[in-house]
Amino acid sequence: MAAEVGRLSKNLLRMKFMQRSLDPETKKQLEEEEKKIISDEHWFLDLPELKEKESFIIEERSFLPCEDFLYGRMSFKGFNPEIEKLMVQMNSKTTEIKTEEEDPDFGKMDVDVTDEEMALRYESLVNSIRKKFAKKRDRAAIKETEDENCNVKGRKVKKAFLKPQD
Amino acid sequence: MSSVQDAVDQVVLPGDVLLLPVQAADAPLSLSAAASDTKRMRVVCGPGLVRHGEDLQVTKCGLLRHREPAVYWVESHQKRYVPVKGDHVIGIVTMKSGDIFRLDVAGSDQASLSFLAFEGATKKNRPNVKVGDLVYGQFIVANKDMEPELACIDGSGKANGMGVIGLDGFMFKVSLGLVRKLLTPQNDIIQELMNVFPMELVIGMNGRIWIKAKTIQQTLIVANILEACEYLTAAQRKQVFAKFSD
């Protein structure tokens, strides 16, 4: 009893206005005690750690990915031409694989202009566009090179100022 | 407990557990390859199968089918239709309520169909659908907790033959197994049916078939043949078709 006289209780020391007068050692002690109380009050479930497993099985409730079904509307012997057109279009997915094997040209577009014609046309187009964007001075240079290639005319002599003779 | 490969094309019963084969890792660049030295193939289990740990468990009786690379399903005889997303079905309009139609699709619940889910339909230009009409549509919502929802347009807004089916004709019900048989590519029944009468038919995955031929008599003949196909052998069916083909 005598030892405790002159000592302040813990709860009093924890109060805000007492904080300043505390020496670091008792402060540390108080903090530790507070932490202990908090950690004791925390609950946790005592369970084994769950292992996340990658699943390689996909569940599917539909027959669609299992079987390649035909289109559900059908028409035979020209009863409904609209539906017959649709049938060909919608069933092309399932028959595509076959036609690809049989026909080497399958997948190629029907073209009006062949690749060679297209290339020729673009060649001249490239030239004319280049001329359009070139400056006047460069345009002359382009012409010159063309002339050289085609051997049409000789070089034009560049006009220069001629000093008149006295 | 048997391996899946042994059970393919065999009869399986509910409760059977099918073991999946363990395959060596074939992708050396895979990040998980270092962690696990053996790797299973990505398996798709279709109707009639559920996942059971790392194996498959059978929930319907029937024949186990397999398709490359690793798709398994059970081909079973069934009459009850359960809506599945993506299925094309024939529904009967039972109610018109404001913006949606209610359709009987032979499932446990009625399906809803928005009046905007038709090709070319707008708020002002409503589709002409009456109670009692037959509608050929596709499920866009179908799960066990929600009301199924149909649409008569695909993702790009095209009808592609979906919508109200014509006025006349005859609709009847067959089993789901027969419907699937009729819809498999290059199946005998449809190939033989092509040569009988000029006609039109719509097959819904919910077991409903709608037929229209030139006369009522022809329509009924075809309907009876198709209904009988369920129980006819291939030879018997050929006999029947030979009677009517010209």
Side-chain angles (χ1 to χ4, degrees):
Chain A
M1 207 56 194
E4 287 192 17
V5 173
R7 254 189 158 191
L8 298 167
S9 82
K10 275 182 208 163
N11 286 333
L12 186 63
L13 286 174
R14 243 178 244 151
M15 282 178 179
K16 201 115 195 183
F17 67 92
M18 292 299 285
Q19 299 283 317
R20 264 176 293 163
S21 57
L22 282 176
D23 56 299
E25 205 174 300
T26 44
K27 211 173 184 177
K28 216 174 174 185
Q29 211 180 324
L30 278 172
E31 261 173 33
E32 253 168 44
E33 267 174 40
E34 217 161 301
K35 261 186 197 167
K36 204 180 164 191
I37 292 165
I38 290 169
S39 65
D40 279 348
E41 281 175 354
H42 268 287
W43 285 33
F44 64 94
L45 289 169
D46 193 15
L47 285 175
E49 219 173 293
L50 275 173
K51 273 184 206 163
E52 191 92 359
K53 267 189 192 170
E54 201 182 347
S55 174
F56 293 101
I57 303 172
I58 303 156
E59 279 187 23
E60 186 61 59
R61 295 292 99 208
S62 166
F63 279 99
L64 297 173
C66 306
E67 298 176 75
D68 294 318
F69 285 129
L70 290 172
Y71 182 54
R73 294 198 77 164
M74 300 172 191
S75 163
F76 307 125
K77 290 194 169 184
F79 187 82
N80 190 342
E82 260 177 59
I83 298 298
E84 289 196 5
K85 239 186 263 169
L86 262 176
M87 264 172 83
V88 174
Q89 192 191 323
M90 301 297 278
N91 291 336
S92 60
K93 270 179 268 164
T94 46
T95 50
E96 210 167 73
I97 307 147
K98 261 186 208 163
T99 47
E100 220 166 332
E101 283 165 5
E102 287 163 9
D103 190 4
D105 280 345
F106 184 81
K108 284 186 184 170
M109 274 193 291
D110 293 332
V111 287
D112 301 329
V113 184
T114 61
D115 293 349
E116 286 83 18
E117 278 177 65
M118 192 76 178
L120 280 173
R121 171 128 185 85
Y122 263 98
E123 210 174 39
S124 61
L125 188 72
V126 165
N127 273 334
S128 52
I129 294 288
R130 187 171 52 187
K131 266 182 219 161
K132 194 180 166 190
F133 281 97
K135 282 176 193 166
K136 228 176 190 175
R137 207 171 292 163
D138 302 329
R139 221 179 278 177
I142 292 166
K143 239 183 199 171
E144 268 170 31
T145 52
E146 267 177 16
D147 288 350
E148 269 172 24
N149 290 339
C150 304
N151 295 323
V152 180
K153 273 178 190 174
R155 279 193 171 200
K156 247 187 184 177
V157 183
K158 207 181 176 185
K159 283 175 186 169
F161 178 71
L162 291 173
K163 204 179 176 185
Q165 285 177 338
D166 296 313
Chain B
M1 298 272 260
S2 59
S3 164
V4 178
Q5 273 125 347
D6 297 338
V8 168
D9 291 332
Q10 301 285 317
V11 173
V12 288
L13 294 171
D16 286 358
V17 174
L18 304 170
L19 300 173
L20 285 172
V22 179
Q23 296 225 337
D26 51 348
L29 287 173
S30 163
L31 286 172
S32 59
S36 60
D37 47 350
T38 56
K39 194 180 166 190
R40 280 162 192 275
M41 264 212 292
R42 215 160 263 281
V43 174
V44 176
C45 64
L49 295 171
V50 290
R51 203 171 68 211
H52 180 260
E54 300 209 324
D55 302 303
L56 300 175
Q57 189 164 36
V58 183
T59 56
K60 283 178 190 169
C61 50
L63 297 170
L64 187 78
R65 297 292 188 204
H66 169 61
R67 204 176 94 170
E68 291 300 323
V71 184
Y72 297 95
W73 73 97
V74 177
E75 198 182 281
S76 57
H77 175 86
Q78 187 175 328
K79 283 190 169 173
R80 191 179 68 141
Y81 178 69
V82 181
V84 178
K85 192 180 167 187
D87 270 5
H88 287 84
V89 295
I90 298 176
I92 305 168
V93 181
T94 57
M95 211 165 52
K96 250 165 112 173
S97 56
D99 291 352
I100 55 164
F101 305 112
R102 300 232 156 257
L103 268 78
D104 167 37
V105 287
S108 58
D109 196 7
Q110 300 217 320
S112 66
L113 169 65
S114 167
F115 78 95
L116 287 172
F118 286 87
E119 191 183 58
T122 56
K123 284 217 161 182
K124 279 183 185 164
N125 181 20
R126 281 171 175 262
N128 185 21
V129 181
K130 292 184 287 295
V131 171
D133 277 355
L134 294 183
V135 173
Y136 184 61
Q138 187 177 24
F139 277 112
I140 50 169
V141 173
N143 58 46
K144 57 184 178 182
D145 306 313
M146 280 166 70
E147 184 187 57
E149 194 179 336
L150 281 170
C152 291
I153 43 172
D154 62 5
S156 56
K158 283 261 186 76
N160 276 338
M162 289 186 282
V164 179
I165 308 172
L167 290 170
D168 335 321
F170 180 62
M171 194 202 77
F172 58 99
K173 283 201 74 180
V174 295
S175 76
L176 301 184
L178 181 62
V179 159
R180 283 200 294 274
K181 213 192 271 176
L182 288 171
L183 285 174
T184 43
Q186 306 297 320
N187 68 89
D188 299 338
I189 302 174
I190 292 294
Q191 299 292 326
E192 285 162 11
L193 205 64
M194 277 171 144
N195 306 317
V196 183
F197 304 124
M199 60 164 163
E200 183 186 350
L201 71 160
V202 183
I203 303 173
M205 286 288 285
N206 55 349
R208 283 180 177 154
I209 299 178
W210 176 89
I211 300 182
K212 186 180 170 188
K214 275 190 174 148
T215 62
I216 293 174
Q217 198 191 7
Q218 286 182 349
T219 305
L220 289 175
I221 288 170
V222 176
N224 285 329
I225 293 175
L226 281 181
E227 268 183 331
C229 275
E230 184 110 38
Y231 309 105
L232 292 180
T233 61
Q236 282 173 325
R237 198 177 57 227
K238 281 214 169 75
Q239 258 184 358
V240 175
F241 276 114
K243 223 186 274 180
F244 292 105
S245 60
D246 36 43

